[in-house]
């Protein structure tokens, strides 16, 4: 397993592999890896001859005042976790944005951004209006640098997966997009690099998100189709546990538009704050 930091070297490696007929998979991450990330690597391994994992905390997707500076990082431990998994390259660039000079603001030297105009708007787009612009832009940079045949994302970040799949389709990137199932801790909490920033009490209380999604699944199984009933029980349960709900929405799986009744494949997506940590979770719902 090699660690590559320069984008020129990364592209050169990929091109030489492809010339030899090797199929390349890319798993983009921001590091501080957990089993959720590693499940994507396992899927990538099945779908390609060579696997590249990128580790890059993308400044372009954090607004001023968000948790860029305290985002958890542990590169050495990430390397150890990836070693047994048959990863060929860890792509860990220093900085993917051109900066004209350190004194200038962080966008100087870079002025091209990708917008996925409708899918970026609901859900996380409400409270983080520039988030998907940053994600779509950095992923398109990674696709241009690594030139993979397949790219693997997690459905933990459901909207992100849909936004990026649409970007790939609309802009004719020659890459297959895979969405992998959300991986949970043993007690049900959705795995996230940010979980480490929860206090023990917040960690316990945050389970209310998972429990309310499970309850919604049960209600749908027993015949409930009214989104507002499902949303209300979730918001109440999370608020009672001390969480601050950013959004709790039931949306169409493809368009991400709100649905009042669960009559087609939908996803119940919740984002809530516990302490200073913003947590995302979701379940796919279908009434058949
Ligand atoms: P991140 O490092 O948080 O940017 O995530 C990198 C990739 O891992 C994204 O495609 C995420 O959706 C995916 N991912 C993160 N957490 C999980 C999880 N618990 N289950 C499945 N995929 C995940």
């Amino acid at each position: 397993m090699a660690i590559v930091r320069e984008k020129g070297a990364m592209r050169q490696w990929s091109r030489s592999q492809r010339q030899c007929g090797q199929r390349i998979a890319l798993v983009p991450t921001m590091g501080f890896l957990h089993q959720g990330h590693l499940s994507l690597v396992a899927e990538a391994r099945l779908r390609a001859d060579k696997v590249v994992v990128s580790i890059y905390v993308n400044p372009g997707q954090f607004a001023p005042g968000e948790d860029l500076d305290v985002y958890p990082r542990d590169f050495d431990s990430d390397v150890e976790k990836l070693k047994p998994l048959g990863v060929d390259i860890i792509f860990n660039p220093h900085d993917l944005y051109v900066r004209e000079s350190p004194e200038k603001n962080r966008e100087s030297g870079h002025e091209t951004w990708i917008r996925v105009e409708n899918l970026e708007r609901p859900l996380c787009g409400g409270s983080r209006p520039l988030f998907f612009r940053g994600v779509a832009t950095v992923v398109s940079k990674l696709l241009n640098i690594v030139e993979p045949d397949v790219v693997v994302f997690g459905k933990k970040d459901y909207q992100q997966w849909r936004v990026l799949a649409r970007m790939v389709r609309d802009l004719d990137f020659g890459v297959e997009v895979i969405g992998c199932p959300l991986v949970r801790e043993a007690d049900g909490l959705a795995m996230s690099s940010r979980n480490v920033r929860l206090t023990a009490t917040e960690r316990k209380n945050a389970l209310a998100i998972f429990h309310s999604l499970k309850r919604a699944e049960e209600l749908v199984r027993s015949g409930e189709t009214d989104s507002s009933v499902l949303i209300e029980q979730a918001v109440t349960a999370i608020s009672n546990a001390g969480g601050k709900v950013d959004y709790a929405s039931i949306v169409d799986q493809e368009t991400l538009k709100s649905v009042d009744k669960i009559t087609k494949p939908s996803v119940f997506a919740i984002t809530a704050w516990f302490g200073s940590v913003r947590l995302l979770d979701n379940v796919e719902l279908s009434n058949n």
Side-chain angles (χ1 to χ4, degrees):
M1 186 170 74
I3 297 168
V4 175
R5 300 199 193 268
E6 302 303 328
K7 49 187 171 181
M10 183 67 246
R11 189 181 277 120
Q12 208 176 8
W13 179 87
S14 281
R15 289 194 175 174
S16 66
Q17 293 300 324
R18 282 162 66 107
Q19 259 164 18
C20 306
Q22 299 288 288
R23 192 173 148 82
I24 300 170
L26 169 66
V27 181
T29 81
M30 298 208 298
F32 210 72
L33 303 177
H34 50 66
Q35 282 302 325
H37 297 112
L38 304 188
S39 72
L40 309 188
V41 175
E43 185 64 29
R45 193 58 288 164
L46 295 175
R47 289 177 179 268
D49 306 303
K50 300 287 173 187
V51 175
V52 178
V53 175
S54 63
I55 297 182
Y56 179 62
V57 181
N58 170 34
Q61 70 192 62
F62 290 80
E66 289 186 344
D67 59 351
L68 174 62
D69 295 339
V70 293
Y71 193 86
R73 293 162 167 90
D74 188 345
F75 185 73
D76 292 344
S77 153
D78 289 345
V79 171
E80 291 307 313
K81 287 176 189 161
L82 292 174
K83 266 186 193 161
L85 301 185
V87 170
D88 297 281
I89 300 278
I90 298 178
F91 180 47
N92 177 228
H94 297 293
D95 192 352
L96 284 179
Y97 294 86
V98 176
R99 280 153 219 266
E100 282 167 353
S101 72
E103 312 81 59
K104 288 203 180 160
N105 74 36
R106 62 198 188 135
E107 289 184 9
S108 69
H110 183 98
E111 52 178 293
T112 308
W113 299 93
I114 300 214
R115 308 298 302 244
V116 181
E117 294 186 351
N118 290 319
L119 286 180
E120 71 168 31
R121 251 182 274 199
L123 307 176
C124 288
S127 54
R128 303 185 79 190
L130 296 181
F131 172 71
F132 289 113
R133 176 186 92 143
V135 170
T137 302
V138 82
V139 169
S140 59
K141 283 160 88 60
L142 289 168
L143 294 176
N144 284 331
I145 294 164
V146 178
E147 299 181 345
D149 299 280
V150 52
V151 61
V152 184
F153 301 109
K155 291 204 244 174
K156 146 90 173 16
D157 301 278
Y158 199 91
Q159 184 178 15
Q160 174 173 288
W161 165 56
R162 288 294 192 194
V163 162
L164 294 169
R166 177 59 67 95
M167 175 189 83
V168 161
R169 193 198 77 175
D170 288 355
L171 295 182
D172 298 304
F173 281 95
V175 65
E176 182 188 357
V177 177
I178 306 296
C180 290
L182 189 159
V183 177
R184 301 181 176 282
E185 302 285 357
D187 61 5
L189 187 71
M191 285 192 183
S192 164
S193 305
R194 289 185 167 99
N195 289 350
V196 71
R197 297 186 49 234
L198 295 164
T199 65
T201 309
E202 288 161 359
R203 165 77 181 68
K204 191 156 63 68
N205 293 341
L207 277 174
I209 304 176
F210 169 65
H211 290 146
S212 64
L213 289 169
K214 286 308 281 178
R215 176 88 188 114
E217 272 183 332
E218 284 162 20
L219 287 167
V220 170
R221 263 200 297 273
S222 62
E224 181 63 64
T225 58
D226 193 340
S227 296
S228 64
V229 171
L230 307 177
I231 291 170
E232 201 179 305
Q233 66 82 22
V235 171
T236 304
I238 294 167
S239 306
N240 287 345
K244 200 166 131 264
V245 175
D246 180 355
Y247 62 81
S249 306
I250 300 179
V251 298
D252 180 280
Q253 283 186 12
E254 289 197 10
T255 64
L256 305 184
K257 289 197 173 127
S258 283
V259 295
D260 297 334
K261 294 266 176 211
I262 322 276
T263 52
K264 51 187 170 181
S266 309
V267 58
F268 191 176
I270 297 183
T271 295
W273 290 89
F274 280 82
S276 62
V277 189
R278 186 172 174 275
L279 298 173
L280 275 70
D281 202 340
N282 69 77
V283 289
E284 292 175 317
L285 297 174
S286 138
N287 71 342
N288 48 43

